[in-house]
Structures are given as structure tokens and as C-alpha cells.
């Protein structure tokens, strides 16, 4: 079986500007932040991003890497809730927004996973979602009239991805992986909807240990849906990661505060985002000590 | 002995939020703020024992604990399963709102033009799917003309004037209640417009009119929000919200 271990920078080397990428997790929960930081270090640009957005989308916006965004919401999940960099990109008119109902994101990923051009869904009808999509979103009429008449529904198009990035708690070097905690989110769907699938995990273990350590139902990914595996301990920081760790609320607040003016943001970038992932993790540890 | 002459505005809001779920039966109650959360738990401890409630993350609670407290669980409800429940219709959500208009259109997404807003909030979240699929109510802690507007900037939650009567896909839309710090409302006015049901004790119809950008149906006929029972007051004060978090969310 193939050994799929890669470095963060190997993964970014396989990407191209203009790609459509999906980012797993949810809001400020188990986001593939180490991958996001690796993209920030690269010269990739003009990305189309599909996500249940959090600080992942915010950081990509801070570096002007996003051309278009498909999302159900963008939230930091704790005060002040609204991501400051996403807000700046939106109020500056810098990104094309394909805002949609949260359920439509799941539906679009499921369509892509099943290689279907669309799936019907009720959510979206009557709302501004149709206007956000500027003609890209169509309806479909049922061929089966019901007792109440014939239904016309949203035809949610497949959210086909060039690449997907997800972070899980534990995996092997072949791409089998599982989550530990209360929620898988939608990480399997992102992988099934994508051409290239990149997984980071808190720890890489032997397959035998993986299947012993977690229940079968938590083995979310198999080898067929993963192309590259990166061992990235604390790789979801500053978002939470199930049983591995909670959200770093102090650091997330520092991220928000730093976004307020160019000088404080430059200081944030210089300190946390100008070196390697190891440099980032070392500075994060120092930050936690300073704040203790 | 608990006396009702000391009932606070937040306590009237709590029982009004509980009544949102009257007759709901065995469905998932999804309150999205403190007052509706108190209301849902109060309903479950009094007249609606079959309601399903969660910890706000992924666990279905067997117990009805105080706000923020843990309790025994009875099941699993991760986000992906929530969307299955939404589509099934077996849910009543109580959302917040940055704006609501007289036909029940709601906005929690952003202010200003869609592609270049003046202020960014959450995006539409689950509001389009909630409103088109199952009972939806709203909670507004500070009733003001900035919230109750002529026209919302972004339609996140679908209102009655967006319903296509020829398309049965809209047949599950039902906006049950709007509870605010001033009173209890629904969309039972002429042509499904915003209507006053009761005003909380001490609230004058003029106050509601001044704080709403459009005419409120039935405002002069609206009664007064009922008194909580002694048992309801005990449950609110001692069991569900002993720390008094309710007072932080209700403007006076």
C-alpha cells in the first residue's frame, strides 16, 4: 500500500492559482489551519473557496487569496463572532459571494460525491440566496405531481472541488483516518467531492493501532478518498479539535484584535505567519505563556 | 412564597418563549439565544415533556439542566443530522434577527448590497432552510425601528410575501411567533402581516408603535401577557437560570 506521507509545502506545491478548494471543519471547529497557513506562505492566488467558514476563510482573505467564496455562513463561534478579514473583503467588494443555506453546502457536496450535476432541495426558495448566485442557481420541477400539485425546487449544483483539505485526529500513512469527539462535520464529503484530497492529522499511527483506538463508526476516511497525509500536531490551532484540544479562545481574540489596523496586523503576521509551521507553533506556545 | 408582583420583564419574556412551543409535541426545539433557551426548557419541564433539546453542539439531552450545565444524554445530533431533521420538518427553531419586516422576512446575513455590504454579519446560515421547512419563531431582545424595518436588506429567513401559491414546495412555511422585550406577536394580521397578540405589563401600545417602522395590526386590541404561575417562576429562578443570565438579554 502506498505511503502517502507528505510535508505541508509538498502539498502546496501540487496546487495552482485559480483552483476551487474545499476546506473541511465548521466555523472555528477542526479547521485545516496548518494547510491554510501553508497556502498563506505560497504565491497561490485567485482561489475559489467552498466552506462552512471560520478563520480559515478569514486568513485567506487577509492575504488577498480569495476570488470567490461558496459558504453557508462565516463565524468564529465565540465573541465577536464575525470574522474581521472576511468582513473586510466583503465590505471592500473584493470577493464574489455565493452565499447559501447551510444545508445547500451539504447537498452540493453530496451531488459532487455522487457525480450528479445537481440535487433538488427546498432550502433557498424565496430567499436572497437566489440573488446572491446571480443566475448560477436554477430550479427544477418534479416530474411527479403530488397531491398538493407539482413542486419546483432549488437544483443545487454539484460543488466539484479541485482539492479538499481536512484535519482529523488520527490516521495512518495510507489515508485511513478518524475523528475523535462529538462531530465528524462534513470532512468525508469534501474528500469525496474533490479531485485531490489532502488530510492532516494530529498523529499518524500504524493501521492496526488506528482501528484499535477508535470505534468503527469514527473511521470517517478510507484510502480511496485521500491522496496525501501530513502529520500536523496542533494543526487545527486556533480552532478546536474534538477530544484532542479545545479552541484557543485567547489566541482567536488576539487574531481578531490584530486585524483592526494595519500596524497590529503586520505585527501578527511578522510574529506568527512569516515562518514555518514549527515557527508558528513555537510562537503560539510562547503566546500562551505570556497570557497565563 | 413566590409572589407575582415582582415578576421581571425577562420573566414575562421567558414564559412567552415557552409558549412558542405549546402543542409542539415530539419535535426538536432549537432555541438560538438565552431567552428562547430558557423558554424551551421551561416548556419541557411543564407542558411539553416530549420536546427534544440538545446541548447546542451534538448531544441530545435526556435531562433538562440549567443553562450551561451538563446533563444526562439520550442521543446524538451532529450538524449533518440536524440538516436531516430540518428537511423532515420535525423542528421548531427560534432564531435571532438583525432585521424583520411586516411580512416576516428576516435578515441575519449583512446590511447593504449583496456583493458589497456595508456591514457583514453571519451570512444566511440555516435561515432559508429553516423557514421553508418547519416552524420558525424569532426572539428580539431590544424591539426597535432598526430591527422592525419596512424592508430587510438581505432575505435570510423567508417571509409570507415570498410564498409562490402555485408551488407546493412552499407549503411548510410557518412563522409562529415573534417575542420581544415589549410583547408577543405573530403574522396573523391582514395578508399575513405582523400583529400584536399581547404586550408585557407596563408596555404601552404607543411604545410599540414608536419602536416599529410599520403599522402593527391589532395593537390597540392586544391584551396583556399573562402572569407566570408560581411553578414557572420557581423553575426559571431556581432550576433553569439561577444565575439570572436572562436579564442581560432583555432591554428595558
Amino acid at each position: 500500500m502506498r505511503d502517502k506521507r507528505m510535508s505541508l509545502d509538498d502539498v502546496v506545491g501540487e496546487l495552482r492559482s485559480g483552483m476551487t478548494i474545499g476546506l473541511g471543519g465548521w466555523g472555528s471547529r477542526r479547521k485545516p489551519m496548518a494547510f491554510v497557513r501553508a497556502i498563506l506562505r505560497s504565491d497561490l492566488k485567485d482561489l475559489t473557496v467552498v466552506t462552512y467558514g471560520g478563520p480559515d476563510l478569514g486568513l485567506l482573505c487577509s492575504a488577498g487569496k480569495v476570488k470567490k467564496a461558496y459558504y453557508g455562513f462565516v463565524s468564529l463561534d465565540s465573541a465577536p463572532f464575525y470574522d474581521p478579514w472576511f468582513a473586510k473583503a466583503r465590505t471592500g467588494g473584493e470577493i464574489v459571494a455565493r452565499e447559501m443555506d447551510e444545508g445547500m453546502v451539504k447537498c452540493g457536496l453530496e451531488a459532487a460525491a455522487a457525480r450528479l450535476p445537481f440535487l433538488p432541495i427546498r432550502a433557498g426558495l424565496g430567499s436572497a440566496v437566489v440573488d446572491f448566485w446571480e443566475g448560477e442557481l436554477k430550479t427544477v420541477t418534479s416530474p411527479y405531481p403530488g397531491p398538493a400539485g407539482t413542486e419546483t425546487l432549488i437544483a443545487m449544483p454539484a460543488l466539484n472541488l479541485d482539492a479538499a483539505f481536512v484535519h482529523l485526529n488520527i490516521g495512518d500513512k495510507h489515508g485511513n483516518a478518524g475523528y475523535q469527539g462529538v462531530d465528524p462535520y462534513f470532512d468525508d464529503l469534501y474528500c469525496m467531492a474533490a479531485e485531490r484530497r489532502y488530510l492532516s492529522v494530529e498523529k499518524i499511527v500504524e493501521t492496526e493501532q488506528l482501528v484499535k483506538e477508535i470505534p468503527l463508526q469514527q473511521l470517517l476516511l478510507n484510502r480511496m478518498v485521500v491522496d496525501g497525509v501530513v502529520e500536523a500536531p496542533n494543526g487545527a490551532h486556533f480552532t478546536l479539535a474534538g477530544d484532542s484540544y479545545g479552541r484557543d479562545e485567547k489566541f482567536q481574540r488576539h487574531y481578531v484584535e490584530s486585524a483592526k489596523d494595519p500596524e497590529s496586523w503586520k505585527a501578527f503576521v511578522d510574529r506568527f505567519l512569516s515562518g514555518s509551521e514549527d515557527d508558528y507553533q513555537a510562537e503560539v506556545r510562547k503566546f500562551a505563556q505570556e497570557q497565563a | 412564597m413566590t409572589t407575582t408582583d415582582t415578576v421581571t420583564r425577562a420573566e414575562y419574556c421567558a414564559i412567552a418563549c415557552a409558549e412558542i412551543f405549546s402543542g409542539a409535541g415530539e419535535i426538536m426545539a432549537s432555541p438560538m439565544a438565552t431567552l428562547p433557551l430558557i423558554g424551551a426548557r421551561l416548556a419541557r419541564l411543564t407542558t411539553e415533556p416530549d420536546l427534544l433539546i440538545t446541548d447546542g453542539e451534538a448531544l441530545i439531552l435526556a435531562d433538562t439542566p440549567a443553562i450551561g450545565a451538563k446533563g444526562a444524554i439520550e442521543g446524538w445530533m451532529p450538524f449533518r443530522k440536524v440538516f436531516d431533521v430540518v428537511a423532515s420538518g420535525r423542528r421548531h427553531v427560534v432564531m435571532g434577527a438583525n432585521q424583520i419586516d411586516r411580512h416576516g422576512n428576516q435578515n441575519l446575513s449583512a446590511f447593504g448590497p449583496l456583493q458589497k455590504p456595508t456591514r457583514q454579519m453571519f451570512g444566511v446560515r440555516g435561515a432559508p432552510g429553516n423557514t421553508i421547512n418547519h416552524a420558525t419563531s424569532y426572539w428580539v431582545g431590544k424591539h426597535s425601528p432598526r430591527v422592525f424595518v419596512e424592508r430587510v436588506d438581505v432575505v435570510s429567513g423567508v417571509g409570507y410575501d415570498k410564498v409562490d401559491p402555485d408551488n407546493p414546495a412552499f407549503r411548510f412555511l410557518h412563522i409562529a411567533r415573534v417575542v420581544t422585550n415589549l410583547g408577543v406577536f405573530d403574522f396573523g394580521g391582514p395578508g399575513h402581516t405582523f400583529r400584536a397578540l399581547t404586550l408585557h405589563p407596563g408596555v404601552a401600545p404607543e411604545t410599540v408603535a414608536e419602536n416599529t417602522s410599520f403599522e402593527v395590526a391589532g395593537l390597540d386590541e392586544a391584551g396583556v401577557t399573562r402572569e407566570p404561575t408560581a411553578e414557572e417562576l420557581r423553575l426559571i429562578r431556581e432550576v433553569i437560570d439561577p444565575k439570572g443570565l436572562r436579564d442581560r438579554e432583555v432591554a428595558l
Side-chain angles (χ1 to χ4, degrees), chain A residues 9-289:
Chain A
D9 294 325
D10 290 340
V11 170
V12 173
E14 295 193 356
L15 307 180
R16 297 291 171 266
S17 291
M19 275 185 163
T20 297
I21 65 168
L23 298 168
W26 168 284
S28 189
R29 304 173 202 218
R30 220 182 64 230
K31 280 287 174 177
M33 297 299 276
F35 281 128
V36 169
R37 290 185 282 270
I39 293 172
L40 291 182
R41 288 194 291 275
S42 75
D43 55 9
L44 291 167
K45 57 184 171 57
D46 295 332
L47 298 173
T48 294
V49 178
V50 177
T51 188
Y52 288 104
D56 51 339
L57 184 54
L59 280 172
L60 292 176
C61 286
S62 79
K65 303 229 176 251
V66 184
K67 180 182 66 181
K68 194 174 185 183
Y70 290 76
Y71 58 92
F73 63 83
V74 180
S75 173
L76 297 176
D77 292 336
S78 52
F81 296 99
Y82 308 139
D83 182 274
W85 281 111
F86 173 69
K88 275 185 204 183
R90 288 271 290 132
T91 55
E94 293 162 28
I95 56 177
V96 175
R98 293 290 178 260
E99 192 166 305
M100 71 191 103
D101 175 78
E102 291 172 18
M104 293 171 69
V105 179
K106 172 173 176 270
C107 186
L109 293 172
E110 285 171 337
R115 301 179 297 173
L116 293 169
F118 72 92
L119 280 171
I121 186 168
R122 201 178 312 279
L125 286 173
S127 76
V129 167
V130 179
D131 305 318
F132 266 108
W133 283 57
E134 300 173 302
E136 267 184 47
L137 189 64
K138 316 279 190 197
T139 56
V140 62
T141 299
S142 173
Y144 308 107
T150 301
E151 293 192 56
T152 296
L153 297 155
I154 295 288
M156 180 64 207
L159 292 169
N160 294 302
L161 308 173
D162 295 313
F165 300 89
V166 300
H167 183 80
L168 290 175
N169 303 84
I170 183 169
D172 67 15
K173 64 187 174 192
H174 309 297
N176 299 299
Y179 67 98
Q180 293 168 296
V182 293
D183 203 319
Y185 309 119
F186 302 84
D187 290 354
D188 49 339
L189 286 179
Y190 282 98
C191 290
M192 290 165 72
E195 286 286 325
R196 304 285 299 169
R197 297 77 45 100
Y198 301 103
L199 162 71
S200 60
V201 289
E202 289 296 316
K203 59 174 180 178
I204 294 179
V205 298
E206 291 302 318
T207 309
E208 192 181 70
Q209 190 188 337
L210 168 69
V211 300
K212 206 162 57 186
E213 204 158 315
I214 61 175
L216 291 174
Q217 292 82 356
Q218 291 180 7
L219 290 165
L220 195 65
L221 303 181
N222 59 58
R223 289 186 287 118
M224 288 185 289
V225 299
V226 175
D227 296 294
V229 183
V230 175
E231 188 169 58
N234 213 33
H237 182 272
F238 45 93
T239 70
L240 63 77
D243 293 345
S244 299
Y245 42 89
R247 185 176 304 131
D248 187 341
E249 297 285 3
K250 280 181 184 167
F251 190 90
Q252 178 163 291
R253 276 197 296 276
H254 182 56
Y255 157 74
V256 172
E257 289 297 314
S258 299
K260 282 184 178 158
D261 68 76
E263 218 157 282
S264 56
W265 185 249
K266 184 176 180 303
F268 185 92
V269 170
D270 287 349
R271 179 170 183 189
F272 296 107
L273 300 174
S274 297
S276 67
E277 177 69 11
D278 285 346
D279 295 335
Y280 172 83
Q281 295 292 349
E283 285 303 319
V284 161
R285 282 190 293 274
K286 274 190 227 164
F287 178 84
Q289 284 161 6

Side-chain angles (χ1 to χ4, degrees), chain B residues 25-231:
Chain B
E26 200 159 31
I27 63 159
M28 192 158 99
S30 296
M32 300 294 183
T34 301
L35 255 297
L37 195 148
I38 294 168
R41 293 190 184 189
L42 182 58
R44 195 177 195 237
L45 289 170
T46 54
T47 62
E48 298 297 323
D50 292 333
L51 285 174
L52 282 80
I53 60 170
T54 73
D55 66 347
E57 193 168 11
L59 305 176
I60 310 175
L61 298 173
D63 290 344
T64 309
I67 300 170
K70 292 190 188 308
I73 68 165
E74 63 168 341
W76 189 43
M77 188 57 65
F79 288 125
R80 64 174 59 192
K81 283 162 102 53
V82 172
F83 297 136
D84 296 339
V85 175
V86 169
S88 81
R90 302 194 61 80
R91 185 168 183 252
H92 190 149
V93 68
V94 186
M95 292 189 283
N98 295 91
Q99 297 174 319
I100 296 175
D101 74 18
R102 71 182 317 182
H103 295 284
N105 295 290
Q106 170 254 25
N107 177 20
L108 48 61
S109 171
F111 292 139
L114 294 185
Q115 294 295 346
K116 196 179 178 190
T118 54
R119 178 170 160 70
Q120 178 66 44
M121 283 92 76
F122 284 122
V124 297
R125 294 221 76 152
N130 291 342
T131 45
I132 206 78
N133 276 298
H134 56 65
T136 298
S137 293
Y138 294 107
W139 159 246
V140 175
K142 187 178 182 190
H143 190 133
S144 83
R146 294 164 63 104
V147 175
F148 292 95
V149 293
E150 274 296 333
R151 191 181 295 273
V152 303
D153 291 27
V154 178
V155 178
S156 315
V158 178
Y160 283 104
D161 61 344
K162 299 296 186 291
V163 171
D164 175 357
D166 297 326
N167 182 1
F170 283 87
R171 69 193 181 280
F172 305 116
L173 185 127
H174 174 50
I175 309 171
R177 288 283 163 88
V178 180
V179 177
T180 81
N181 61 317
L182 299 184
V184 182
F185 308 85
D186 69 2
F187 291 90
H192 283 297
T193 51
F194 191 74
R195 174 178 71 171
L197 294 176
T198 64
L199 306 187
H200 302 321
V203 175
E206 298 75 44
T207 307
V208 174
E210 282 163 18
N211 284 289
T212 310
S213 300
F214 47 81
E215 195 184 324
V216 180
L219 187 54
D220 294 327
E221 298 85 63
V224 178
T225 305
R226 73 164 172 87
E227 294 300 315
T229 65
E231 174 64 359

